[in-house]
Amino acid sequence: MMESHSPTSSDNYAADISSIRGAQVRIEPFVHKTPVLTSETLNSIAGRKLYFKCECFQKGGAFKFRGACNAIYSLDDDQAAKGVVTHSSGNHAAALALAAKLRGIPAYIVIPKNAPKCKVENVKRYGGQIIRSEPSMQSREDTANKVLQDTGAVLIHPYNDGRIISGQGTISLEFLEQAQDIDTLIVPISGGGLISGVALAAKSINPAIRILAAEPMGADDAFQSKINGRITKLSEVNTIADGLRAFLGDLTWPIVRDLVDDVIVVDDKEIIQAMRLCYEILKIAVEPSGAIGLAAVLSDGFQQNPAYSECNHIGIVISGGNVDLGVLWNSLEK
């Protein structure tokens, strides 16, 4: 296993347990306290006790609403009046649009042309003003910068932002209260906002807890970054998990480097099978990015690794339920 340590007051991270507790107070009037599900069938398949934190039932259909809500309600009135801008291919876009709607301010959302239709529809539903970009990160950032210049709005980055990280960390505060036996957390990783917040809060509450990242083989930059000891970006990504295609940021990387114990890489077939189990056994709709934690715990890489033999009570963050059904049916038929 890769080494990690517990956060201390001397660590200069973008968020800490006090900012996460502050976020919890700030967003409590607006977010759902999502349920934790268990399944004896899945426990027997995994050979472990599994606890599923169902952020697919969060407002906007994903955990992203926590961070977006914290960021928007952290703004002072003068900042908020000019609105917010972000670039996102999906759940952060919808979450920011919804949080902005609740505060009554404009949200300018730069969305790449290849974003899943269901996620674009969510942004429209919540009143976000959509500006299209090319699929590349460069085009997304350039388009967002132009909107910033034109409007004077405040940029809310999808993950590389302390306010976002703190908001996502509220998941740990809830989860470890709802299921106090948890000794291991498995969390999807992309840009690192979710796992950074979850790890900071969880390791502050229980320094011995294991934090494992789940990542698709076709977008395994976090796995490579951990091995190389620096942010490693890929020349291309290819995975059905559209929410896990981003690369780590300069604020999320130090937290991932220090606090994430290991990265488990799974292929798309394992992700699709995990989605199917969520449908058939848990009876919940889970997008590929949301199901990857279950895929990780059922994978040979986890099941056959003696380093994980003492991971007996595993918390899995089901991070989102915004499924593009057309893509899903096609993937299941392959």
Side-chain angles (χ1 to χ4, degrees):
M1 288 177 76
M2 301 164 180
E3 290 185 3
S4 76
H5 79 278
S6 302
T8 68
S9 58
S10 62
D11 291 317
N12 190 24
Y13 297 137
D16 58 23
I17 189 64
S18 63
S19 70
I20 293 167
R21 292 196 187 281
Q24 186 177 42
V25 172
R26 189 175 293 116
I27 70 178
E28 188 176 23
F30 309 104
V31 301
H32 293 317
K33 184 174 183 179
T34 52
V36 173
L37 299 184
T38 58
S39 161
E40 291 301 326
T41 301
L42 290 176
N43 289 349
S44 64
I45 293 171
R48 315 287 211 285
K49 179 84 174 175
L50 307 180
Y51 307 83
F52 298 92
K53 180 65 166 161
C54 295
E55 287 294 296
C56 49
F57 297 139
Q58 188 53 262
K59 288 182 182 177
F63 74 93
K64 293 280 192 178
F65 183 67
R66 294 174 182 268
C69 204
N70 187 51
I72 280 187
Y73 281 93
S74 296
L75 300 175
D76 64 36
D77 289 343
D78 289 341
Q79 290 175 311
K82 292 180 179 178
V84 291
V85 62
T86 196
H87 57 84
S88 168
S89 62
N91 289 333
H92 173 72
L96 198 71
L98 177 56
K101 182 180 181 181
L102 290 176
R103 190 161 177 186
I105 64 175
Y108 306 99
I109 314 291
V110 176
I111 300 182
K113 292 175 180 176
N114 64 343
K117 186 180 177 184
C118 67
K119 296 184 179 181
V120 178
E121 291 301 317
N122 282 348
V123 176
K124 291 180 181 175
R125 189 178 300 125
Y126 300 136
Q129 299 182 40
I130 295 174
I131 302 99
R132 290 292 198 169
S133 75
E134 295 303 319
S136 72
M137 187 59 70
Q138 188 66 52
S139 175
R140 283 168 53 160
E141 291 174 350
D142 290 347
T143 307
N145 285 334
K146 186 175 188 309
V147 176
L148 280 174
Q149 291 168 3
D150 292 345
T151 62
V154 179
L155 179 67
I156 309 288
H157 193 277
Y159 52 85
N160 205 45
D161 185 307
R163 299 163 297 189
I164 294 290
I165 294 168
S166 295
Q168 320 308 24
T170 62
I171 289 173
S172 283
L173 302 185
E174 286 182 13
F175 204 175
L176 297 182
E177 191 179 84
Q178 291 166 305
Q180 297 179 7
D181 292 336
I182 287 175
D183 54 46
T184 305
L185 286 171
I186 299 185
V187 187
I189 192 166
S190 182
L194 171 61
I195 201 167
S196 292
V198 165
L200 282 166
K203 295 258 186 185
S204 293
I205 294 166
N206 174 13
I209 200 167
R210 295 179 187 86
I211 307 292
L212 305 178
E215 188 169 48
M217 190 175 292
D220 67 343
D221 61 292
F223 176 78
Q224 295 192 32
S225 296
K226 289 282 276 186
I227 289 174
N228 296 333
R230 56 180 171 78
I231 294 178
T232 303
K233 296 185 178 182
L234 309 177
S235 56
E236 62 177 318
V237 294
N238 181 21
T239 175
I240 191 176
D242 60 272
L244 302 181
R245 294 171 182 162
F247 300 139
L248 295 167
D250 62 340
L251 299 184
T252 57
W253 162 242
I255 305 170
V256 170
R257 178 193 65 207
D258 297 346
L259 303 185
V260 174
D261 295 282
D262 214 344
V263 182
I264 301 165
V265 177
V266 296
D267 64 32
D268 279 8
K269 285 184 178 178
E270 292 172 300
I271 294 171
I272 292 164
Q273 178 60 22
M275 288 174 71
R276 190 169 207 147
L277 290 171
C278 288
Y279 274 81
E280 294 176 351
I281 297 174
L282 289 179
K283 315 301 182 191
I284 57 175
V286 181
E287 64 188 273
S289 307
I292 194 170
L294 177 58
V297 84
L298 297 179
S299 70
D300 288 346
F302 181 86
Q303 291 285 330
Q304 297 175 11
N305 189 332
Y308 305 131
S309 61
E310 294 180 6
C311 299
N312 296 314
H313 295 266
I314 301 174
I316 296 173
V317 179
I318 300 290
S319 57
N322 294 312
V323 184
D324 191 328
L325 290 174
V327 174
L328 173 63
W329 303 145
N330 290 340
S331 67
L332 290 176
E333 289 168 2
K334 282 182 180 176

